Every structure is written in C-alpha cells, then in structure tokens.
Amino acid sequence: MALLNANPIVYEPTLTTIRVETESDYDDDIVDPIDAEEVYELLRSISDPEHPLTLEQLNVTQLQHITVDNKENHVLVEFTPTIPHCSMATLIGLCIRVRLLRSLPERFKVDIKVRKGTHQSENAVNKQLNDKERVAAALENKHLLEVVNQCLATAGRSE
Amino acid sequence: MPRLELVATLEGHQDRVWQAVWHPSKTILATCSGDKTVRLWAPASHSDLSNWQCIHTLEHGHKRTIRSLAWSPSGNEIATASFDATTGIWEYDSRENDWECVATLEGHENEVKSVAWSAGQLLATCSRDKTVWIWEVESDNDFECLSVLQEHSQDVKMVAWHPHKEVLASASYDDTIKIWREDDDDWYCSDTLQGHTSTVWTLDFDASGDHIVSGSDDQTLRIWRTIKPQNAQGIPTPSHDPTYRTVCTLSGYHNRCIYSVSWSKVNNHIASASGDNSIRVFAQSGETSEEMSWEATAKIEAAHGVHDINHVSWFPSEVHRDWLATAGDDGVARIWRYIEDDV
C-alpha cells in the first residue's frame, strides 16, 4: 500500500519539551497538579500509524498546543496532521483520546481538536473525535482497537 | 427553592449505563449498558423505596453495547438497540418468571442507536447508517419493516414517537430533527427542524404532543411548537402538515454536551442531563403565541460524581410523579426525588 505521506519531515525533539525533574517532584508532601507538560509526556511517544516515528518527531503534538485547567478538570489537546488531507487524522486523534482515557484521572473532560487551519476536514474530524458514542463504538471494533494499541505500544517509552 | 434529593443508587452494571427507562405502569426501572446487558430493578419492599434490587438481568442477546431500550406499551416486552447492528425483542414469561430474547431485527448496516415503541403497533429504530426504520409489530413476535427512511445526512442518534399519534421525530448528528408522517402506508419526512448548531442527541414530546424539547452538543435546549395549517399568525405550512418553530432556547445552563432530556407528561417539568455532570430541572414560567418562557428550578452538580450523565427520565405516572431516573458513565443508575417546597 502506498504511503499517504511518503516523506514526512522529521523534527528533532527540542530540549525544552523534555520535562526537567526537580527535587519537589519527588516530595510526596507537595500536591502536583496535572499540567500541560505532564499531558505532553503521555502523548509524545505515541507512534504514527504509518511511520516508525513518534507524534513528537512528526510535530503532530506540541507542548504549546496543550491546555490544561487542573481546577476545572479540563484538557484540550490540539494536534497538527502532517498533511492537510491526511486520512489518518481521525485515527491519530483517537490514539490521543485513548491514551488520555487510560492515563488521566477520570475527573478530566478531554477535548481533542485538529489545530485550526491544518486539515481540510477539520470540523468533521473534530466532531467525530468528540462524540463519545462514536468513540465507544469505534473501540468495540477489534481491528481498530488493535491498530490503536499498536500506536500506543511505544507510548511512555523514553526513547 | 425546589431541590433534588437522592432516593437510591443502583449498582451492578460492569460498564457505563446509557439509559434508565421506567416501566409504563409498574415501579420497575430498566437500564442498559456497555456491558451488553439490560438490568431490571425494583424496590426490595413496598415500605422501603430507597432500597432497590436487580430483579432480572437480560443477557446474551447482544454481542456489543446496548445503547438504548424501550418498553412496549403493555410493559410485557422490551426492545433493545445495540452497537451490534441488531434490535432485540425480549418478552416476559410469567410462568417461568423470566425474560427471553424472542426476536432479533436485522437490517441496519451498523450501530443501532435508538429504539422507540409507539402507543400502537409500531416500532422505530435508527442507526449510524443514517436511516430510520419503521417496523410493524405483528402477532407471534413477527416484525415487518414498513419503511426505510433515509433523509438524514448523518448518524441518527434518537427516535421518539408522538405520545398519541403515529408521528415520529428523529434527532441526528447532522444537527437537525426530522418529523415523519404516514400517508397511506407511505412514510415521508414532513418537516426538518433547524436551529441547533451541533449534534442533536435527544428530544421528547410534551403530554399534548404539540411541543418538543431537544438537547444538543451545542449546549442548548430548544423548545419547538407545532404550528398547524391555516394558523392565525399566517405561518406557511407548505405540505399542509403542521410545521414546527422554536419558541424558547435555554442556553447557559449546561457547559458541555446535553445527552438527554425528559418532559414529564404528569408534572410538565423538563429535566436535562449533561456531559458537565449535572442534572437540571426547568418549569414553565410564561407563554405567548410567539414564545414560551422557562426557568431553571433545581440542579444537582456532580450527580454521578465526575462522570457524564447519559440519560434522564421522569416517572411516567402520578404515583411517583416527582421521581427522576438518571444513568451515568460511572456504571450506576440513580433515582432522585424532585421536592417543590420545604414544609
């Protein structure tokens, strides 16, 4: 099968996006609110469905496009498909959703959107990704779930 | 101020609960879930209405999530809509004291999202395949498909019958509601209700059938009124059928998707349930020929903890006219009492 985007640009992870651990991170007495960096950590090492590369290497997920309101229990992840007609956009968004579904505390409401202006059917993709009934139905599809799990197999690995 | 008080919590499902639907005449609640079962619940005793037990589990009828269920008017059958693309028909056998799946309706191409039983002999189903099917209930658990309606351009989320006429309403991911009527065995779309700006998840008729309330991903509720042909306001009704127009929009009450609305046929109140974890109750406060006004009277935040609420329904008769049932992503159903005043 021909690849949709045969030669994607590969980005080097910038040092600023890698979480720097401080002493207070290990202090159990300090309550650590969940922030954008923590969410980014969960997403950066997810594999692209087509390429043996991570969403970070393809610049699909970026720290500055993640908004976390810990008090209001809200997370917004905006992602950037590698090309504006990427037919994998919904699948990538689904992987992001499943990763957060499995990793974040249940109190969080998560919205996942294509970064404005980066996909020709962004409204359709956004609507589908945020329809929990359709997400539930998709995850009951064994084949699709396998593909998602494959993309998530690398998640959380530090290189 | 009126308030909502928790009466009971019904625990047992192994996955999110999508709906909690009252038996048409008895004190029985049916719930359906992502765990592929329906559970029937009743109070353990007549004296203690706060202790509910699961009295039946309907299982092995579906291979995937049961998204919605509907009682037949007699309460002796239940129809179940499943993501496995089929609709199950279950019948109560009083000799065996058991429920049995007696028929499986096939035809939809993918997930069946909703099923509704008319007051008469009709059943409606709708699906992600964008169609609405109308079935005739014949004797011996035979169901004949009368019509396949394909005018929605997207996933159809819910179907609901007019309380006493054979008029059907459907709500869709295409942001519209459609009204379906019959003309000599031929079903057609008589009206398309436009106004919501995102998926319409839910709708319910009032007791007269002259009004509809709908709830949407656009976080608003809309109330629509039937405008009859030759109306005094001079509103055109092109197909000589009644048309609908919005007489009230309730916004600012929910800040995430509204998944369910219920318009009590007994106390006339509207209840709504949302992905913002809250339930709200609205009471009518005024009406003119142009519009209707409603006010929010009670709310419960975090009615199912941090979880979305998928369904809300008022008890259908006088006996417990103040009871509400809700279903949540936390896998439980809850029963609430709406208390008008503190005496």
Side-chain angles (χ1 to χ4, degrees), chain B residues 266-280:
Chain B
V266 187
N267 66 26
N268 198 39
H269 289 350
I270 291 173
S272 57
S274 164
D276 69 6
N277 312 340
S278 75
I279 344 168
R280 284 188 174 263

Side-chain angles (χ1 to χ4, degrees), chain A residues 2-117:
Chain A
L3 294 177
L4 264 168
N5 182 8
N7 285 306
I9 305 166
V10 180
Y11 297 79
E12 277 299 313
T14 50
L15 281 175
T16 51
T17 62
I18 294 166
R19 194 183 181 96
V20 182
E21 288 171 344
T22 62
E23 228 170 271
S24 66
D25 286 339
Y26 294 95
D27 186 343
D28 289 340
D29 295 330
I30 295 175
V31 179
D32 242 351
I34 287 172
D35 56 15
E37 281 183 19
E38 191 163 345
V39 172
Y40 184 70
E41 275 299 308
L42 293 169
L43 303 180
R44 55 193 284 262
S45 47
I46 295 174
S47 296
D48 179 80
E50 275 195 320
H51 301 284
L53 295 164
T54 65
L55 297 188
E56 176 179 61
Q57 287 170 312
L58 294 170
N59 235 16
V60 171
T61 50
Q62 293 167 52
L63 176 62
Q64 67 268 32
H65 299 156
I66 296 172
T67 316
V68 176
D69 188 333
N70 186 63
K71 262 202 193 127
E72 293 294 317
N73 298 321
H74 184 247
V75 172
L76 168 66
V77 175
E78 293 179 301
F79 68 102
T80 314
T82 52
I83 39 173
H85 53 274
C86 178
S87 66
M88 298 285 169
T90 319
L91 180 58
I92 292 171
L94 186 64
C95 291
I96 294 174
R97 179 163 291 288
V98 174
R99 175 70 174 148
L100 297 182
L101 206 63
R102 291 177 183 170
S103 313
L104 284 180
E106 284 183 322
R107 64 187 165 96
F108 281 100
K109 305 285 180 182
V110 179
D111 291 316
I112 295 169
K113 290 180 176 165
V114 166
R115 186 109 181 113
K116 205 168 171 47

Side-chain angles (χ1 to χ4, degrees), chain A residues 109 127 131-133 137 140, chain B residues 65 67 173 175 308 310:
Chain A
K109 305 285 180 182
K127 197 167 183 182
D131 180 322
K132 75 167 188 186
E133 185 189 66
E140 286 186 6
Chain B
T65 284
R67 174 65 181 88
Y173 189 91
D175 308 349
D308 289 7
N310 298 317

Side-chain angles (χ1 to χ4, degrees), chain B residues 186-215:
Chain B
D186 225 5
W187 287 80
Y188 64 98
C189 175
S190 75
D191 204 4
T192 299
L193 284 53
Q194 286 170 312
H196 281 300
T197 55
S198 189
T199 303
V200 189
W201 279 91
T202 175
L203 63 92
D204 197 8
F205 284 91
D206 70 343
S208 68
D210 289 341
H211 295 90
I212 290 175
V213 61
S214 57

